[in-house]
């Protein structure tokens, strides 16, 4: 069988690697398409190098744009590629615009090409998030719904998905994390950033709802400045976020350039607490046993709260200060969900080839 596997942005690369490896180990043919939704070397090339992902067979070079522009350009570029590849199935991961765009192209092909969605069933129920739209539409059109946790199964069944389309496979990001954790910990990352294990906090913020509106961002930065008075904070800055954070350095928050996968995992593993609005970080900190405070009002990964180390804090400065104080005084016990064991890629390949 020939599987066209799509990767587009930084969160996708860690998810597609175990799927590619598992499919190829079982004799399937894979074609790797990189849409170029993330194209900056620090957000794309370094992940291919560090994770040992082969060079993409096809690069679409889409680049930035509005949600409509980006989705439309991916569809226009992917359609002739898919037509020429004679694919048996398309594998998409996550919830970025390219995930939705490539799913739509496959579903509208004549005849339709079946789609496998890795990380299906996640729901924030926040329709202001573009990712929620992408998730729901992708799941509706996919033949294989490859789900990381039981809450995803419940969501899909409640939405009317047929049970034979749903496969509980575990979290494929955990495969990549566990495969690279020793390499990450062996790097001099903490020394390079002047921090010691267990004696600093890590911050990541990138969602438009958090960083684009100064009236939202300023109070968050004020709370982080208070935290930085008692605990050094390291903040790797997403390119689209840097302009919004021009005044943050004087608050005692250490702004650094985007990090590669291994350095970022090393900083997560050594942190005393992580403050984030990222979905993937909620999952990785759960496996690492590091307290995570999510600065959002909702999460599509509730299992990281019920069976992990994550807390949903919101964006209120007083709540952030209070949550940091509590978690520093009494960190949560380490625990992680079933099937987050490093073998999700194998289970995905078995489901696709059954």
């Amino acid at each position: 069988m020939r599987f066209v596997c799509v990767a587009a942005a930084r969160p996708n690369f860690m998810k597609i690697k175990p799927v590619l490896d598992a499919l190829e180990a079982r004799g399937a043919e894979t074609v790797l398409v990189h849409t170029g939704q993330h194209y900056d070397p620090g957000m794309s090339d370094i992940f291919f190098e560090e994770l040992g992902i082969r060079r993409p067979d096809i690069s679409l070079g889409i680049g930035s744009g509005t949600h409509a522009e980006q989705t439309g350009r991916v569809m226009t570029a992917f359609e002739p590629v898919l037509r020429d590849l004679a694919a048996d199935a398309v594998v998409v991961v996550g919830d970025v615009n390219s995930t939705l765009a490539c799913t739509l192209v496959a579903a509208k092909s004549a005849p339709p090409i079946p789609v496998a969605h890795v990380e299906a069933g996640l729901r924030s129920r926040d329709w202001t998030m573009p990712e929620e739209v992408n998730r729901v539409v992708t799941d509706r059109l996919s033949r294989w719904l490859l789900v990381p946790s039981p809450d995803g199964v419940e969501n899909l069944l409640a939405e009317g998905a047929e049970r034979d389309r749903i496969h509980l496979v575990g979290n494929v990001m955990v495969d990549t994390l566990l495969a690279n954790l020793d390499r990450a910990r062996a790097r001099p990352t903490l020394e390079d950033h002047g921090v010691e294990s267990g004696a600093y906090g890590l911050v990541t913020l990138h969602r438009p709802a958090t960083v684009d509106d100064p009236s939202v961002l300023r109070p968050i930065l004020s709370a982080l400045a208070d935290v930085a008075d008692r605990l050094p904070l390291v903040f790797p800055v997403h390119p689209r976020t840097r302009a919004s954070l021009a005044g943050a350095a004087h608050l005692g928050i250490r702004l650094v350039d985007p990090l590669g996968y291994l350095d970022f995992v090393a900083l997560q593993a050594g942190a005393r607490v992580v403050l984030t609005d990222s979905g993937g970080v909620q999952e990785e900190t759960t496996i690492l046993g590091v307290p995570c405070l999510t600065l959002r009002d909702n999460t599509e990964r509730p299992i990281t709260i019920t069976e992990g180390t994550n807390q949903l804090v919101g964006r209120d400065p007083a709540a952030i200060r209070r949550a940091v104080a509590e978690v520093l005084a009494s960190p949560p016990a380490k625990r992680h969900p079933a099937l987050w064991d490093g073998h999700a890629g194998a289970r995905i390949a078995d489901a696709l080839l059954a």
Side-chain angles (χ1 to χ4, degrees):
M1 293 186 68
R2 173 179 286 182
F3 293 90
V4 174
C5 300
V6 178
R10 173 176 175 155
N12 294 169
F13 306 138
M14 293 84 81
K15 300 169 189 173
I16 203 67
K17 165 70 170 168
V19 179
L20 285 169
D21 290 348
L23 286 171
E24 291 166 1
R26 287 155 175 76
E29 182 182 358
T30 62
V31 179
L32 178 59
V33 176
H34 186 351
T35 71
Q37 186 172 325
H38 275 175
Y39 51 87
D40 182 280
M43 301 292 285
S44 178
D45 295 352
I46 192 170
F47 290 87
F48 280 77
E49 295 165 8
E50 291 187 349
L51 298 178
I53 306 173
R54 72 169 192 262
R55 292 180 62 85
D57 299 295
I58 298 168
S59 296
L60 302 183
I62 297 304
S64 301
T66 68
H67 289 286
E69 290 169 342
Q70 203 170 59
T71 303
R73 285 204 299 268
V74 173
M75 292 181 70
T76 302
F78 187 61
E79 184 176 41
V81 167
L82 190 59
R83 185 187 307 127
D84 292 342
L85 286 175
D88 294 300
V90 173
V91 180
V92 297
V93 295
D95 53 21
V96 299
N97 288 335
S98 295
T99 302
L100 171 62
C102 293
T103 298
L104 286 168
V105 170
K108 288 175 172 285
S109 296
I113 298 172
V115 175
H117 185 201
V118 177
E119 209 174 61
L122 301 184
R123 298 290 183 268
S124 69
R125 295 176 176 81
D126 179 357
W127 289 99
T128 68
M129 294 178 65
E131 296 90 344
E132 185 75 352
V133 177
N134 294 345
R135 293 180 202 117
V136 171
V137 178
T138 298
D139 283 347
R140 183 65 185 87
L141 296 175
S142 294
R143 167 61 185 85
W144 293 275
L145 299 167
L146 304 161
V147 186
S149 52
D151 54 283
V153 174
E154 295 170 6
N155 290 334
L156 292 167
L157 291 173
E159 292 170 4
E162 296 84 356
R163 190 173 288 275
D164 66 352
R165 293 166 56 209
I166 302 171
H167 305 269
L168 181 59
V169 295
N171 192 327
V172 75
M173 281 187 68
V174 175
D175 293 23
T176 299
L177 177 64
L178 295 179
N180 291 280
L181 184 55
D182 289 343
R183 292 174 61 211
R185 283 178 163 150
R187 294 170 71 89
T189 309
L190 274 61
E191 179 182 346
D192 291 345
H193 288 87
V195 292
E196 297 181 358
S197 182
Y200 65 93
L202 178 65
V203 179
T204 78
L205 300 173
H206 72 280
R207 293 189 180 276
T210 308
V211 301
D212 284 1
D213 184 347
S215 68
V216 174
L217 182 59
R218 276 195 299 267
I220 293 175
L221 291 178
S222 174
L224 294 178
D226 290 342
V227 175
D229 285 340
R230 60 186 300 184
L231 187 72
L233 294 181
V234 180
F235 189 166
V237 182
H238 189 290
R240 70 178 301 279
T241 307
R242 183 164 287 279
S244 302
L245 295 170
H250 77 277
L251 299 174
I253 304 167
R254 306 180 189 183
L255 303 183
V256 302
D257 290 333
L259 299 173
Y261 179 73
L262 295 176
D263 284 335
F264 187 68
V265 167
L267 279 179
Q268 285 189 92
R272 189 167 175 190
V273 63
V274 175
L275 300 99
T276 189
D277 62 1
S278 162
V281 171
Q282 297 171 48
E283 297 172 320
E284 289 169 340
T285 50
T286 283
I287 294 302
L288 295 169
V290 174
C292 179
L293 303 178
T294 298
L295 309 188
R296 289 167 49 186
D297 297 322
N298 52 64
T299 179
E300 63 283 355
R301 295 164 171 86
I303 198 167
T304 63
I305 297 172
T306 59
E307 297 186 36
T309 57
N310 184 30
Q311 287 186 53
L312 203 59
V313 176
R315 301 184 182 94
D316 177 67
I320 295 171
R321 296 183 187 99
R322 183 167 56 252
V324 170
E326 291 173 354
V327 84
L328 293 181
S330 181
K334 182 177 180 178
R335 52 183 181 165
H336 60 80
L339 300 185
W340 291 27
D341 57 3
H343 302 291
R347 286 187 284 267
I348 288 170
D350 290 342
L352 297 181
L353 292 169

